[in-house]
Amino acid sequence: MKIQLDKESRIPLYIQIINQIKAMIFSGALPPEYLLPPERKLAEELEVNRSTILNAYRELKAEGLVHSRIGKGTMVVPYESKTEVSIRPPEHRLTWQYLLSDEACRFNDIRIIEMLRVNGDQPIISFATGMADPALYPVDEFYPDITYDIDKKKRALGHTLVEGCVELRKTIMKMQKEKGIDSLLEELLILSGSQQGLNLVARCLLNAGDTVIVQEPTYIGALQIFSNAGVKIISVPVEEKGMRLDIMETLIKKHKPKLIYVIPTFQNPTGTTMDLKSRIKLLNIAYSNQVPIIEDDAYGELRYEGNTFPSLKALDQYDHVLYLNTFSKTLFPGIRIGWMCGPKEIIHQLTVKKQLEDLHTSTFSQVFLTEFLKSGRFQVHIDESCRYYREKRDTMLKKLENSRIKGLRWVRPSGGLYIWCRLPLNISADTLLLKSKEKGVIFVPGSVFFLNNKGNEYIRLNFTYPTVKEIEKGMMILLNVIEEENKKNQEKIINKDSAICNPIY
Amino acid sequence: MKIQLDKESRIPLYIQIINQIKAMIFSGALPPEYLLPPERKLAEELEVNRSTILNAYRELKAEGLVHSRIGKGTMVVPYESKTEVSIRPPEHRLTWQYLLSDEACRFNDIRIIEMLRVNGDQPIISFATGMADPALYPVDEFYPDITYDIDKKKRALGHTLVEGCVELRKTIMKMQKEKGIDSLLEELLILSGSQQGLNLVARCLLNAGDTVIVQEPTYIGALQIFSNAGVKIISVPVEEKGMRLDIMETLIKKHKPKLIYVIPTFQNPTGTTMDLKSRIKLLNIAYSNQVPIIEDDAYGELRYEGNTFPSLKALDQYDHVLYLNTFSKTLFPGIRIGWMCGPKEIIHQLTVKKQLEDLHTSTFSQVFLTEFLKSGRFQVHIDESCRYYREKRDTMLKKLENSRIKGLRWVRPSGGLYIWCRLPLNISADTLLLKSKEKGVIFVPGSVFFLNNKGNEYIRLNFTYPTVKEIEKGMMILLNVIEEENKKNQEKIINKDSAICNPIY
């Protein structure tokens, strides 16, 4: 109980005390049966006469707000005495679990929630994140530009449009144009992270029972969103040049999917990239079957070697592609800003849904980001990141190459954040994770990116978040654990040719 | 086409030019049929010999990436020539509208999207917002604390937990405790604005076809979310002390609702507040019928006179209430931060759903807000806001009182953002808005807060966003327009006693 007295006020001290205790009782800050401090103690604390407190308590009693119990002291009376009605406790406690919607019952996957929790733990070497290197965050460049501009500072705290700040959208339009995507302002929607975009797409296009086509393996967040939507997920295997388009054509004819979700460049988790020919073929399949494509281009900027291919969106002249991107991988994830680019009519629908979901994306994040992008430092940052990430990737690849573990295979990515590995025969990624975690190294087991618990022979290693030193140390530890497991297995089983294993692209 | 040459590089200039043009062709930045600049022009621009450009173009032609057309110049060749496959345009353009989900077809309300668009327009006196006064934004206090702390600056850019930053949740727990809400860390969820919370509740608890109970009139965003969920919305009329609880009891028995949504304090749009007795009665009804309550307390802090009542959450000892609050009304809306407090099991479900929707709330917004709250300036800001808002409210009330327009009635709010008015007989709020907008004053017509186009005899006036001067001028204009309309009506119709009108609380 905190009371502040104004001894210079013309309001008598005991009245001030009464008013403040009364307010606390009415607001619930002093709940029923709360024991007020003894008069003497409160008098000392407030540096007033004991009689002042006595007067105040007497008045409160007269108003029926407190009463004295012998041996206990002065207590706040229960609400009923103040209102003539009393709280009648429910016969049964409410069982919230029985109230859940179909959607809530359908989906209860807490793996990403747990992953974000682990990230805080120390000391562990993590190949498990999907994050940029925090040491590269352009912190100083991101903050100061705005600090002296009172108008911008204020604008950053107010509402903006559901579609996103106009200036940010214009800046992104310009950036996209350099990548061959020519769009109008109304074709852009700023998102609270690209996760939101994918979810909005599901809300706007999918009914429970519909079908979607995805690459397999693919981004866990996409699998989650589609599972939550209650749709049938049909998967097309990933291969070196993107995905098995021959299979896709057949599957489309059979399942008549509502959409195709694809990460054409530096795919998560495999790191593979579709070449120009595959991109054109995919578009043609989509065109002839009238199926829209959701293109996720989160990693496209992070290329460490070789030619850039145009995005599907850049190739598409017929409004068939909805393009999704984010600043989480290129810059940092904490501002939660992504965007979507597509035909006006569907962007409008997504905007209507976005307004329901979060009104609009944080103006605060948007204004700072706009300033940063306009400073021209974004490309500098991308170039610098690519330089560092190339070194990190090469460090990890070298460790893999030097290990010479029988049956261990991996994909050499020309960009992105991940190296995708297939473990030697009979090693399970889940078991491996338990053992390597004990030794201080974590990664993501492959099954996370597959449907129906497949893929436990794969692991995904991130090389952008850890330092070069951590990569060296962590890979040594991890490879040793794999080696040990391998030896145990080879003692037990007849060695089989790795050719019968699942593919590694 | 932007080419940057490094004249000190050991790579010959014409090779540098080739590489860069190639990259732009592959990335789609130079689309098929893009016309390259004439050799002479490019040579001048890059300050190189014309022969350098000639060599580069010749090489690109040899690789089949560009070709020359007489009279036209040098063009990027279509993709087909480069890949042996060509884009086959779709026979029909994709009709996105036919792909929409049931949910998207069900809900297409763009009124809030439009409202946010109007806010930017000038010069107009707006009584239409639901916003705090930007002149009161504690801008300096919100920014500088963090600016010199590199660790915090970096942390603000990274991921955080889906549930929200621990420090922010702890700070809010402390704030809540002072209001009689005693909660655990796991009972709190940080939201990207309270709109998100309401939507998550709908996703987690409601199936299409379920029933909910709301006050009528009520917050348009809630009506939208429930409409989008495809549920039956049953309304209980608002009255001076909150809502008609006698009617509610009957409706609950009849409709077996999944939840009750209520704004007990300074309700939007009516400004009414439930007294303690009504609060206890409402809880008892919820208890005996096993219906959870969603309590929206967005305005509770903004009290200008009278006693504070405990929130339903503070009164509820049986985990029956889900409590929703936001910093949008007390502080500013641009950071998009709200929170929810409720039983652990339902907070867990909401967290699972939130991860799908936007992964987590902007760390950037959360870290700045935490610093601000911890500085102790929040309460100072609330006190200051209340002082100013009281003056603004009184200015608006005085104008209403002095107008003496026959049949005009209003509710005197003891807090919050709005004055709710019933127009004289036969004046429609929609028509009034058209006329007053012409003269530079806008407000929200009452029908927005009702179901089924009722309520066109009411208007909602916001007094916190405009300045005192704007209130004086704007009210003069608005009241004149009402007066004029009233006169026109009285000439036409027999004057009826306003007693037959709908209630004004």
Side-chain angles (χ1 to χ4, degrees):
Chain A
M1 195 176 90
K2 259 188 240 162
I3 293 180
Q4 283 188 319
L5 295 183
D6 177 1
K7 295 197 176 162
E8 322 225 315
S9 162
R10 287 189 309 181
I11 302 170
L13 291 175
Y14 85 101
I15 300 278
Q16 290 186 41
I17 295 171
I18 290 172
N19 286 345
Q20 291 183 44
I21 294 182
K22 225 164 149 177
M24 285 187 273
I25 292 175
F26 274 110
S27 73
L30 301 184
E33 302 187 28
Y34 182 91
L35 210 59
L36 297 186
E39 287 104 356
R40 189 192 311 270
K41 210 181 139 212
L42 188 59
E44 275 172 23
E45 204 178 286
L46 299 178
E47 296 172 349
V48 297
N49 274 331
R50 203 175 148 217
S51 63
T52 309
I53 307 294
L54 277 172
N55 281 336
Y57 280 17
R58 190 176 306 130
E59 192 79 27
L60 286 166
K61 274 178 219 166
E63 289 197 33
L65 293 172
V66 304
H67 56 191
S68 292
R69 289 274 173 84
I70 288 156
K72 277 200 153 181
T74 308
M75 290 166 75
V76 175
V77 300
Y79 290 118
E80 35 265 58
S81 329
K82 299 193 289 270
T83 57
E84 299 139 44
V85 293
S86 61
I87 291 182
R88 291 189 303 270
E91 270 185 62
H92 305 282
R93 244 193 158 73
L94 190 64
T95 43
W96 288 87
Q97 295 299 336
Y98 283 89
L99 298 173
L100 295 183
S101 66
D102 295 345
E103 193 187 307
C105 294
R106 195 153 57 207
F107 181 78
N108 219 329
D109 184 348
I110 58 166
R111 286 175 296 171
I112 289 185
I113 295 177
E114 292 301 324
M115 280 184 209
L116 287 169
R117 221 184 292 281
V118 167
N119 285 342
D121 286 6
Q122 285 295 339
I124 204 153
I125 295 175
S126 177
F127 301 142
T129 83
M131 278 159 69
D133 182 350
L136 296 181
Y137 288 178
V139 180
D140 288 332
E141 292 82 355
F142 196 72
Y143 282 90
D145 293 317
I146 199 179
T147 313
Y148 301 101
D149 186 334
I150 179 80
D151 274 348
K152 273 194 190 123
K153 279 162 81 174
K154 193 170 264 191
R155 196 149 44 78
L157 302 175
H159 274 305
T160 184
L161 302 179
V162 181
E163 301 88 335
C165 299
V166 173
E167 220 180 332
L168 178 56
R169 278 185 289 157
K170 283 189 178 160
T171 310
I172 291 176
M173 269 169 67
K174 237 172 103 182
M175 284 169 47
Q176 284 196 154
K177 198 160 182 187
E178 285 168 28
K179 314 278 166 193
I181 301 176
D182 209 351
S183 61
L184 305 169
L185 195 64
E186 310 90 81
E187 292 174 334
L188 270 186
L189 174 64
I190 301 299
L191 303 166
S192 307
S194 70
Q195 173 88 4
Q196 180 178 56
L198 210 49
N199 196 48
L200 291 175
V201 168
R203 300 283 182 207
C204 279
L205 296 182
L206 302 178
N207 290 323
D210 282 348
T211 302
V212 299
I213 289 196
V214 301
Q215 294 164 300
E216 189 175 47
T218 193
Y219 171 46
I220 173 180
L223 293 178
Q224 286 187 339
I225 283 169
F226 295 138
S227 301
N228 180 69
V231 303
K232 194 167 162 185
I233 307 174
I234 301 292
S235 57
V236 174
V238 171
E239 59 166 10
E240 202 189 336
K241 299 282 173 59
M243 61 206 294
R244 292 281 304 277
L245 293 173
D246 52 334
I247 295 183
M248 181 182 292
E249 182 104 50
T250 318
L251 291 174
I252 288 185
K253 297 266 185 278
K254 188 170 168 200
H255 294 284
K256 311 223 170 301
K258 218 49 182 309
L259 60 85
I260 300 166
Y261 169 72
V262 58
I263 313 169
T265 311
F266 315 135
Q267 201 244 7
N268 179 12
T270 64
T272 55
T273 294
M274 295 178 80
D275 64 5
L276 188 53
K277 202 164 157 179
S278 311
R279 286 169 198 247
I280 291 176
K281 273 190 189 165
L282 175 59
L283 275 181
N284 283 341
I285 293 174
Y287 288 161
S288 62
N289 292 284
Q290 295 275 301
V291 188
I293 296 175
I294 315 302
E295 176 181 28
D296 188 342
D297 196 22
Y299 305 98
E301 297 278 340
L302 299 169
R303 173 174 286 281
Y304 315 134
E305 63 196 21
N307 269 326
T308 304
F309 297 113
S311 63
L312 296 170
K313 183 75 196 159
L315 290 170
D316 170 37
Q317 300 303 311
Y318 303 99
D319 277 353
H320 235 79
V321 176
L322 241 177
Y323 177 84
L324 190 61
N325 209 331
T326 174
F327 290 98
S328 292
K329 308 297 175 183
T330 46
L331 214 46
F332 24 66
I335 51 169
R336 309 296 316 125
I337 298 195
W339 76 95
M340 205 161 219
C341 178
K344 228 163 38 174
E345 66 256 46
I346 186 68
I347 290 294
H348 170 77
Q349 287 293 340
L350 295 165
T351 306
V352 169
K353 197 62 54 177
K354 178 172 166 63
Q355 178 252 302
L356 273 190
E357 307 252 322
D358 69 358
L359 205 54
H360 60 73
T361 295
S362 166
T363 322
F364 195 52
S365 292
Q366 289 189 63
V367 168
F368 274 78
L369 177 62
T370 308
E371 290 304 301
F372 176 75
L373 294 177
K374 283 172 63 188
S375 78
R377 294 290 314 231
F378 184 56
Q379 194 54 50
V380 177
H381 172 70
I382 295 276
D383 294 345
E384 194 188 41
S385 300
C386 285
R387 216 161 41 239
Y388 279 101
Y389 294 165
R390 188 184 299 118
E391 188 195 340
K392 290 183 175 196
R393 177 199 65 169
D394 292 345
T395 307
M396 192 176 265
L397 285 172
K398 185 152 251 169
K399 285 284 172 189
L400 284 164
E401 281 154 21
N402 292 344
S403 76
R404 296 176 192 282
I405 296 177
K406 201 164 176 169
L408 181 64
R409 297 282 181 278
W410 59 90
V411 182
R412 179 193 166 85
S414 47
L417 270 59
Y418 313 112
I419 295 180
W420 182 242
C421 305
R422 199 196 59 215
L423 298 171
L425 207 62
N426 287 316
I427 298 186
S428 124
D430 289 336
T431 319
L432 185 68
L433 180 56
L434 288 177
K435 306 220 163 160
S436 79
K437 196 174 175 182
E438 269 175 29
K439 309 214 159 157
V441 177
I442 56 170
F443 55 82
V444 183
S447 57
V448 160
F449 308 99
F450 285 83
L451 294 164
N452 313 321
N453 302 312
K454 290 194 296 279
N456 202 21
E457 66 273 35
Y458 297 100
I459 63 174
R460 189 192 77 176
L461 301 177
N462 165 274
F463 55 81
T464 54
Y465 180 78
T467 63
V468 170
K469 278 201 173 154
E470 283 176 330
I471 293 176
E472 284 175 342
K473 191 177 161 196
M475 286 304 287
M476 203 182 68
I477 295 172
L478 179 61
L479 290 165
N480 277 340
V481 179
I482 297 177
E483 184 84 76
E484 273 169 38
E485 288 300 295
N486 213 14
K487 274 187 192 148
K488 273 192 236 164
N489 277 330
Q490 290 188 340
E491 285 160 18
K492 276 187 286 182
I493 61 153
I494 306 152
N495 194 359
K496 296 187 188 178
D497 190 321
S498 67
I500 66 155
C501 292
N502 283 328
I504 186 81
Y505 327 99
Chain B
M1 194 176 89
K2 258 188 239 163
I3 293 181
Q4 281 189 320
L5 296 183
D6 178 0
K7 294 197 178 165
E8 320 223 317
S9 164
R10 288 189 308 182
I11 302 170
L13 291 175
Y14 85 100
I15 300 278
Q16 290 187 42
I17 295 171
I18 289 171
N19 286 344
Q20 290 184 46
I21 293 182
K22 225 163 149 179
M24 283 187 274
I25 292 175
F26 274 109
S27 73
L30 301 184
E33 303 187 29
Y34 181 91
L35 211 59
L36 297 186
E39 287 103 354
R40 190 192 308 271
K41 210 181 140 211
L42 188 58
E44 274 172 23
E45 205 178 285
L46 299 177
E47 296 174 347
V48 297
N49 275 332
R50 201 174 151 219
S51 62
T52 309
I53 308 294
L54 278 172
N55 281 336
Y57 280 17
R58 192 177 303 129
E59 191 77 27
L60 287 166
K61 273 179 217 162
E63 289 196 35
L65 293 172
V66 303
H67 56 191
S68 291
R69 289 274 173 84
I70 288 157
K72 277 200 152 181
T74 308
M75 288 166 79
V76 176
V77 300
Y79 290 119
E80 37 264 56
S81 330
K82 298 193 290 269
T83 58
E84 300 138 42
V85 292
S86 60
I87 291 182
R88 292 189 302 272
E91 271 184 60
H92 305 282
R93 245 195 156 72
L94 189 64
T95 42
W96 288 86
Q97 294 299 335
Y98 283 90
L99 299 173
L100 295 184
S101 66
D102 295 345
E103 194 187 306
C105 294
R106 195 154 58 207
F107 181 78
N108 219 331
D109 184 347
I110 57 166
R111 285 175 296 172
I112 289 186
I113 295 177
E114 293 300 324
M115 278 184 209
L116 286 169
R117 221 184 292 282
V118 167
N119 286 340
D121 287 4
Q122 285 294 336
I124 202 153
I125 296 175
S126 177
F127 302 142
T129 83
M131 279 160 69
D133 181 349
L136 295 181
Y137 288 179
V139 180
D140 288 331
E141 292 82 353
F142 195 71
Y143 281 90
D145 293 317
I146 201 180
T147 315
Y148 301 101
D149 185 333
I150 178 82
D151 274 347
K152 272 195 192 122
K153 277 162 82 175
K154 192 170 264 190
R155 194 148 47 75
L157 303 175
H159 273 306
T160 185
L161 302 179
V162 181
E163 301 88 334
C165 298
V166 172
E167 221 179 330
L168 178 56
R169 278 184 291 156
K170 283 190 178 159
T171 310
I172 291 175
M173 267 168 68
K174 236 171 103 183
M175 283 168 48
Q176 283 196 156
K177 197 159 181 185
E178 285 168 28
K179 313 278 167 194
I181 300 176
D182 208 350
S183 61
L184 305 169
L185 195 64
E186 310 90 80
E187 293 174 332
L188 270 186
L189 174 63
I190 302 298
L191 303 165
S192 307
S194 69
Q195 174 88 3
Q196 181 178 56
L198 210 48
N199 196 47
L200 290 175
V201 168
R203 300 283 183 206
C204 280
L205 296 180
L206 302 177
N207 291 322
D210 282 348
T211 302
V212 300
I213 290 196
V214 301
Q215 295 164 298
E216 189 176 45
T218 193
Y219 171 46
I220 172 178
L223 293 177
Q224 286 186 338
I225 283 169
F226 296 138
S227 301
N228 180 69
V231 302
K232 194 166 162 185
I233 307 174
I234 301 292
S235 57
V236 174
V238 171
E239 58 165 10
E240 201 190 336
K241 298 282 173 61
M243 62 207 293
R244 290 282 305 274
L245 293 173
D246 52 333
I247 296 183
M248 181 180 297
E249 182 103 50
T250 317
L251 291 174
I252 288 185
K253 296 268 185 276
K254 186 171 169 198
H255 294 285
K256 310 227 171 297
K258 218 50 183 308
L259 60 84
I260 300 166
Y261 169 73
V262 57
I263 312 169
T265 310
F266 314 135
Q267 201 245 5
N268 178 11
T270 63
T272 55
T273 294
M274 294 178 81
D275 64 6
L276 188 54
K277 200 165 160 178
S278 311
R279 286 169 197 245
I280 291 176
K281 274 189 188 166
L282 175 59
L283 274 181
N284 284 340
I285 293 174
Y287 288 162
S288 61
N289 292 284
Q290 295 276 301
V291 188
I293 296 175
I294 315 301
E295 176 181 27
D296 187 342
D297 196 22
Y299 305 98
E301 297 278 339
L302 300 169
R303 173 174 285 282
Y304 315 134
E305 63 195 20
N307 270 323
T308 304
F309 297 112
S311 62
L312 296 170
K313 183 75 194 157
L315 289 170
D316 169 38
Q317 300 303 310
Y318 304 99
D319 278 353
H320 235 80
V321 176
L322 243 177
Y323 177 84
L324 190 62
N325 209 331
T326 175
F327 290 99
S328 292
K329 307 297 175 183
T330 46
L331 215 45
F332 24 65
I335 51 168
R336 308 296 317 126
I337 297 194
W339 75 95
M340 205 161 220
C341 178
K344 228 163 40 173
E345 66 256 46
I346 187 69
I347 290 293
H348 170 77
Q349 287 293 340
L350 296 164
T351 306
V352 168
K353 198 64 51 180
K354 177 172 168 64
Q355 178 252 304
L356 274 189
E357 307 251 322
D358 70 357
L359 206 53
H360 59 74
T361 295
S362 167
T363 321
F364 195 53
S365 292
Q366 288 189 63
V367 168
F368 273 78
L369 177 62
T370 309
E371 290 304 302
F372 177 74
L373 294 177
K374 283 171 64 189
S375 77
R377 293 291 313 231
F378 183 57
Q379 194 54 50
V380 177
H381 172 70
I382 295 277
D383 294 346
E384 193 188 42
S385 300
C386 285
R387 216 160 41 241
Y388 279 101
Y389 294 164
R390 187 183 301 118
E391 188 195 343
K392 289 183 174 194
R393 178 200 63 170
D394 291 344
T395 307
M396 192 176 266
L397 284 173
K398 184 151 251 165
K399 285 283 172 191
L400 283 165
E401 281 154 21
N402 292 345
S403 76
R404 296 176 193 283
I405 295 177
K406 200 165 177 171
L408 181 65
R409 296 282 181 278
W410 59 92
V411 182
R412 178 192 166 87
S414 47
L417 270 59
Y418 313 112
I419 294 179
W420 182 241
C421 306
R422 198 196 59 217
L423 298 170
L425 207 65
N426 286 317
I427 298 186
S428 126
D430 290 335
T431 319
L432 184 68
L433 181 57
L434 288 177
K435 306 219 163 164
S436 78
K437 196 174 176 181
E438 269 174 30
K439 309 214 158 156
V441 177
I442 57 172
F443 55 81
V444 183
S447 56
V448 158
F449 308 98
F450 285 82
L451 294 164
N452 313 319
N453 302 315
K454 292 194 295 280
N456 202 21
E457 67 272 36
Y458 297 100
I459 64 174
R460 190 192 76 177
L461 301 177
N462 165 274
F463 55 81
T464 55
Y465 181 78
T467 62
V468 170
K469 277 202 174 151
E470 283 175 330
I471 294 175
E472 285 174 343
K473 190 177 162 197
M475 286 303 288
M476 203 183 69
I477 295 171
L478 179 62
L479 290 165
N480 277 340
V481 179
I482 297 177
E483 183 85 76
E484 274 169 37
E485 288 300 295
N486 213 15
K487 275 187 193 147
K488 274 193 233 162
N489 277 329
Q490 292 188 338
E491 286 161 16
K492 276 187 284 180
I493 60 155
I494 304 152
N495 194 358
K496 296 186 188 178
D497 190 319
S498 65
I500 65 153
C501 292
N502 284 329
I504 186 80
Y505 326 101

